[in-house]
Amino acid sequence: MASSDRCIVNVGVGGWYPTGSARLRRTLTDVGEDANQFIYIDRLPIGAVPHSSNMYAYKAVALERAAGYGYRYLIWMDSSIYAVRPLDQIWEIIAREGYYFVDNGFNLAQTATNRLLNAFGITRDHAEQVPEITTCCFGIDVGTDKGDAVLKQFSSAARQGLFNGNREHDVNDSEDPRFLHCRHDQSALSLIADLFGMKPNAKYNELLAYRKDGQDVPEGVCVINCGHRD
């Protein structure tokens, strides 16, 4: 996989997020990552609207722009992510399997709003069998028909406002007792990936890990999720 085919995408706007995006850019340089970068620091990509208008929809816009410039292998990273080792193994998984999706341990019935499920004709009973994937760091090969279709569906869901919902429990999102809270773009991508048979192919503490105070980073991890405490 040529580095010219790869792109790391991030948007960090408002509050602490630009600082996190700058840290991400700096640490990618520190570990010698040679992929191209679409990192938007304190600005939105062209065509995106503020988070307050359409929650996390800028993620889809930024990924679409990278794909539109011809990049095939895309990794999205939140501003809470930073690199501690080269990303070679993540790129290899994307090239080999078509995507990099980390299982976060929840299921879609716990995080999808009624509006999201209804838009795709998915019952909450079925959603209970759908694993949630994390979207703090994920990758996709948009050079395949399936990868391209997933990104298009993800972008369509964003434009329809299907990422919107309350991060706290809200009966307006769903009164079903299995529902805990909305996870926005994460719920949408989990649903769409499942429609295309793209089950999680990674776990936490393999290549991606949360940093917890007083705990060592597991050996082999190359990217850390840790927010404004740094």
Side-chain angles (χ1 to χ4, degrees):
M1 183 197 306
S3 61
S4 58
D5 292 335
R6 306 192 305 248
C7 189
I8 294 165
V9 184
N10 163 271
V11 177
V13 176
W16 173 86
Y17 297 102
T19 301
S21 295
R23 177 185 64 177
L24 171 61
R25 176 179 285 173
R26 182 178 68 251
T27 58
L28 289 169
T29 298
D30 290 345
V31 301
E33 178 58 50
D34 64 353
N36 296 278
Q37 299 175 17
F38 276 25
I39 295 181
Y40 300 87
I41 299 179
D42 215 18
R43 64 188 180 93
L44 290 169
I46 294 172
V49 298
H51 177 73
S52 57
S53 299
N54 193 356
M55 301 174 78
Y56 300 103
Y58 58 77
K59 286 191 178 186
V61 175
L63 288 165
E64 276 191 316
R65 287 187 60 78
Y69 273 89
Y71 296 111
R72 173 171 179 172
Y73 305 101
L74 308 179
I75 294 178
W76 169 270
M77 292 185 171
D78 280 357
S79 298
S80 61
I81 299 291
Y82 64 93
V84 293
R85 291 185 181 88
L87 310 185
D88 296 352
Q89 289 178 275
I90 295 179
W91 293 120
E92 288 168 6
I93 292 171
I94 299 169
R96 183 176 65 248
E97 302 182 28
Y99 61 95
Y100 172 72
F101 291 156
V102 177
D103 191 334
N104 79 344
F106 288 85
N107 67 66
L108 192 62
Q110 296 173 302
T111 67
T113 64
N114 288 347
R115 186 168 180 233
L116 174 65
L117 294 180
N118 291 341
F120 284 89
I122 302 297
T123 67
R124 197 162 295 275
D125 287 342
H126 175 77
E128 199 167 16
Q129 309 306 313
V130 177
E132 271 258 316
I133 56 178
T134 187
T135 52
C136 68
C137 177
F138 68 91
I140 192 164
D141 175 1
V142 296
T144 66
D145 289 343
K146 186 180 289 188
D148 179 63
V150 167
L151 179 56
K152 286 178 178 174
Q153 288 283 345
F154 185 65
S155 299
S156 176
R159 288 191 294 270
Q160 294 175 67
L162 296 178
F163 294 178
N164 292 323
N166 197 329
R167 187 62 178 84
E168 303 296 328
H169 179 73
D170 189 338
V171 294
N172 292 312
D173 289 330
S174 178
E175 294 182 337
D176 191 289
R178 290 168 289 188
F179 177 74
L180 302 177
H181 46 243
C182 175
R183 288 308 305 266
H184 315 292
D185 59 292
Q186 184 161 288
S187 303
L189 185 61
S190 300
L191 186 157
I192 293 163
D194 186 71
L195 290 177
F196 286 90
M198 301 165 79
K199 300 294 185 183
N201 57 356
K203 296 182 182 298
Y204 273 109
N205 294 325
E206 293 175 341
L207 300 175
L208 165 67
Y210 278 107
R211 178 183 164 196
K212 297 180 180 179
D213 292 338
Q215 293 186 357
D216 294 330
V217 175
E219 186 177 353
V221 163
C222 56
V223 289
I224 301 292
N225 187 352
C226 182
H228 63 275
R229 290 178 296 168
D230 267 14

